Amino acid sequence: MRRKTLTYLFVACCILFGLCARNEKQTLRVMEPVPFSKVKITDRFWDLRLQRHADVTLPLCIDQIENQTARIRNFENAAAKTGEYKGLLFDDSDVYKAMEGMAYSLINRPNPQMEAKIDEWVDKIAAAQQPDGYINTYYTLKQGLDKRWTNMHNHEMYCGGHMIEAAVAYYQATGKRNFLDVAIRFADHLIDTFGSGQKHWIAGHQEIELALVKLFHVTEDERYLKMAEWILEERGHGYGTDVKYSYIGDRIWSVAYDPKYCQDDKPVRDQSVIAGHAVRAMYMYCGMADVAAVTHDQGYIDALNRLWESVALRNMYITGGVGSSRHNEGFTEDYDLPNEEAYCETCASVGMVLWNHRMNQLSGDAKYVDVLERALYNGALAGISLAGDRFFYVNPLESQGNHHRKEWFGCACCPGQVSRFLPSIGSYIYGRSDDALWVNLFIASETETNVGKTNVAVKQETQCPWDGKVVLTVTPQKTKQFDVKIRKPQWSETYTLSINGEPRTVSPSADGYLTLNRKWKANDQIEIDWQMKTVPTAADPRVKADVGKRAVQRGPLVYCLEQTDNPKYDNAMLTANTDFEADFYPTLLDGITAVTTNQGKENALVFIPYYAWDNRDAGKMKVWVDYRE
Ligand code: FUB
Ligand code: ZN
C-alpha cells in the first residue's frame, strides 16, 4: 500500500512538475499554482470535507451514475449500437465530471477499487467512441449520428470538454494513457471538422475551450491551443443567429434565447458587461484566461478585466454566488440581487473560483483571491451537505424553510461539479514564481515547491476560518534571497507580523500582498495574526433587496440566521448598538464558530456560517437581517 502511494505521488509529481516547468517558459502568468498533488492538507476543517468526499460523495456519485440512472448504460448501449438513451442530452458530462473527481481523489488518497472503477468506465467510454473520434451517447442512441454537429445548443462540445478534463486528470493521477488517447481522438475529430475554412460553430455551452488548453499543456500539441482560440473567436460574428450557419434550418438562438444567453452577442475580446447564463460565462472566461496566458493576447486580458469588474462589483452576492435569475440561470441587470429568489447555481460559484484563480495567476493581484475565497467558503461550500451526501443546485440567501439539499437531480451538473472541485482544493493555497513564494489561502498544510531553482518547504499552521493566527515555517534547501508574498485578506483590517519572533511593520504592496524579502534559511518562522472581527456589512445601496439590512461576516465566512437556533427569527433585528460574540462549538455542525448578539438572553440572535445551513431541522434561513440605526 505504502509503495503504491509513493508510486502515485511519483507519477503525479513527475507529470505535474514537468507541466509546471514547461508552463514557466510559455505562459504570461505572474505565478504558477502549486498543484494539490504537492500539497498535504493538515487542516481539520478541510481534511474532514475531503475525507467525506472520498468516503461518501464519490461512492454516491458512482451509485447514481451506474445504478440509479442510465448514465453508464448509455455508454454500454452506444458501444453496442442498440438500446435506448435515457436522461438529459448532456448526461455524459456527469460521468466525466465524477471521473475527474475520482482521479483527483486518487492522487492524495489512493484507492484501488476506485481506480478499477475508472478503468472499467474508461473501457466503456472508449468502446462508445466512433471510429472518427466523435463521442456523445445522446447522438449515437437518440438523435442519430447523421444529426451530429447540427445544433449548437446541444452540448456536444461541452460533454467533450468534460471528457478531456477527466482524461487529463486520470493521466496525471496514474500515468495511464488510454483515456487520454480517447480524448486526443475526440480533439482531433474537432480539428478535422472545425476551424478556418471549415464549419462555423458556436459552442452553445462553453467548456471545451479550457479543456483544449489543458490538453495542449499535456501533449504540447499546439493544434489544441489553436482550436481553443478558434472556438472562442467564433463568438459574436452572427453565426449563431444567421440561418446560413444554423445547419438545421433555424437560427440557434432565436427560439428560446438571444445571443447574450451564451455570450455570443459580441466577439469575446469586445465584451465588457456580464450577461446570460452564469456557468457558461465563467467557463468562457477561464478559457480566455488560459489562452491568453500562452498567447499573451492583451485584448483578452483587457476584456477579462472589464468583465471581472462587471461581475465582482455589480453582480456578485456577498456569498460569491453569481447568476441571480432562475429564468436564464444567469445574470439580469446590475445590482439585481434578490435573496429568496437568488439562483446562484453551485456550478457558477465553483466557476468563480476557477476564473478568479486564473486571474490571480495572470496578474499577481490579491483582489482575485479575495473573491475566490469568498466564493469558495460560502457559495461553493454550501453546495454540499456536511455529511457529503446531499447537494444544493440553487443557493438562495433566504429561505422560508422549503429549500433543501438533494441526493441528486434530474439535471445533475452540480453534484459532479462539487465532486471534481473539492479534491483540488489544495491547488488554491500556494503559488510559486522565479523569485517568490506566494501564500494565497490560510489553510493548514505542508508543501514543497521550487522558487527559481531552489526547493522550498513550507508548513502552514492555522485554525482559519475560525481564528486569524497563521504560522508559516519556510525551509529553503539552501539559504536564499527571495520574496515570501502573503495575501492580506480583505476581511482583516489590522494584523501583526513577526519573523522569528521579531515584530515587523509591513504594509501590503499595490498587489495586495505583504512582501517579505530576505535571505530565507531553514526553519524561518513567520507569524501573522489577522484580526478576525465580526462585521455587520451593508450592501451597495443600489441593491434594492438589501436596503435597511445587514449581513454578518467574520473572516472569510458569511453568516446566516437559521430558525432552529432563533425562536425570534421573524423579528430579528440588528442595530447600531449590537455587539457580537464569537465562540467555537466543537460538536455543533462538525465544529463551528457561532456568532451571538448581545441583545439580552431572550432576544439574542445566533448566527452560523452560511455554508453549514440546512444541515439540521428544516426551517427558515436568512443572510440579510433587518437593521435599525
Ligand atoms: O447545461 C449544462 C448545465 O446544466 C449548466 O451548466 C447548468 O447551468 C445546467 O443548466
Ligand atoms: Zn450545476
Side-chain angles (χ1 to χ4, degrees), residues 345 347 393 413-414:
E345 185 180 334
C347 284
Y393 187 123
C413 50
C414 295

